[in-house]
Amino acid sequence: MKTFSNYINGILTPPISGNYLNNYEPATGKIYSLIPDSTDLDINMAVIAAKNAASGWAALSNEQRSDWLMKIAARIEQKQEEFAVAESRDNGKPISLARTMDIPRAISNFRFFANAITQFGGESHHMQGIGINYTLRQALGVVACISPWNLPLYLLSWKIAPALAAGNTVIAKPSEITPFTAYLLSEVCIDIGLPIGVLNIVHGLGPKVGDSLCTHHDVKAISFTGGTATGRRIASVAAPLFKKMSLELGGKNPNIIFADCDYDQMLKTTIRSSFANQGQICLCGSRIFVERSIYDRFKIDFVSKVDSLKIGDPVDEDCKMGAVVSETHLNKVLSYISLAKEEGGSILCGGHRKIMHGRCAEGWFLQPTVIEGLPHDCRTNQEEIFGPVVTITPFDSEDEVIMYANSTEYGLSATLWTSNLGRAHRMSEKLVSGIVWVNCWLVRDLRTPFGGMKNSGIGREGGYEALRFFTEAKNVCISY
Ligand code: NDP
């Protein structure tokens, strides 16, 4: 059985306590590796390493740091298949998804910020006859990057890359549920000879290592992606310490379908936006609102397509849906299906655990589930389920569907299907959500601001927004 280590000060380091946690393969329900059960002692060691490396790393030119990020990207690319297999095994996602989405995107994240930092500059404000101001953008020092289990390397690298590019040194804390590709990233950093202490990866439980990382005196900023409850907890301990925070949290995203849309394109994309990664993408559209005139047609076509989705062993090339990430999560999603029934919903398809045979007999598989007949304000339609479960609801007017869409505590993303340009603009303006996709879903330009409104978070990632977050602005005013 493989035993992972932390990556601290450039070397693979066992946890100081000597204790390890079990790591499970969701497709089999079996333990297949051990990860460090780190404590504040490991965090302290990592912070010391990052602090010692900070001034040297910040003193490199943007081009030199850019070169290091390019080397990381190139090395991951060389080992792309090993990374994809690890991601699929650790998370339960189809191997095809890890190959085409997770790992290519992690590589792009490093390349993107390697390029972006060479184009990033401060502002200058001229005061006529008086002087000139210019703004320096300086690295913060040691920063924390904490990521969830659903897109493990994709989201971790989305934070690490801009943090390093901007000249910070990093303590990364991957989810303890999906540590494998973060561990492979440590091997990559060792392979390429990344200066020691620049990136440190500490594995372990959120409430233990995550908490001590977020409250450490020498950690200047926290970039966090995860659940809203965890974000609230982090904000409550880190805000009194005046740490910079970027919180990317949960969602309950509406997918709004008008009768005038390109129906075939909408149907194909709605299958993906509902069930990709077993519905475990923060951007999945779990509340589908359909204009009444096409509701019945949509219901028949959608349910028939969902019924034919192939759930299978994630290692199979043609598997479209794999396992959900853990037994706890499986039970959470099943409890929401029971709640939906109690609330008066009808299950149109799915609704049960999927029992597999052979290698996957004890795996955590769930049938993709479609529910109708629920009011917009019931718990099933208000709380984040984060699994392969969607509700469908008819609507009659723009105002009505805007009210439904904006009725939750979340505001991460929204999808809109219509061929009416005026409506697309009108609705986009009214949706309370950080991202609106019109006639598409999950089309990502890494330069654009990414993040949510309301309880979906504070701050924005992506492009220069991320580089601004990971730097401190200092204005210099020169009188002439
Ligand atoms: P969690 O909030 O449970 O965990 C996220 C990370 O935080 C994990 O590494 C976790 O460690 C760690 N953590 C837990 N407690 C603490 C703490 N007290 N202090 C510091 N770190 C802590 O989220 P999940 O991993 O369950 O991920 C699912 C959630 O992430 C969903 O709500 C989803 O919407 C959201 N998400 C948001 C995205 C966005 O961009 N807005 C993108 C992707 C997901 P450990 O795993 O060891 O508990």
Side-chain angles (χ1 to χ4, degrees), residues 147-149 173 175-176 204 206 210 224-227 230 249-250 282 384 450:
S147 57
W149 47 257
K173 211 292 283 164
S175 170
E176 126 265 351
F224 170 80
T225 298
T230 316
L249 310 176
C282 54
E384 186 183 43
F450 178 93

Side-chain angles (χ1 to χ4, degrees), residues 146-150 155 173-177 204-207 210-211 214 224-228 230 233-234 248-251 282 384 386 412 450 456:
I146 304 175
S147 57
W149 47 257
N150 63 328
L155 289 175
K173 211 292 283 164
S175 170
E176 126 265 351
I177 300 168
L205 295 169
D211 219 49
C214 293
F224 170 80
T225 298
T228 294
T230 316
R233 157 82 197 159
I234 290 175
E248 299 297 336
L249 310 176
C282 54
E384 186 183 43
F386 211 56
L412 186 54
F450 178 93
S456 289

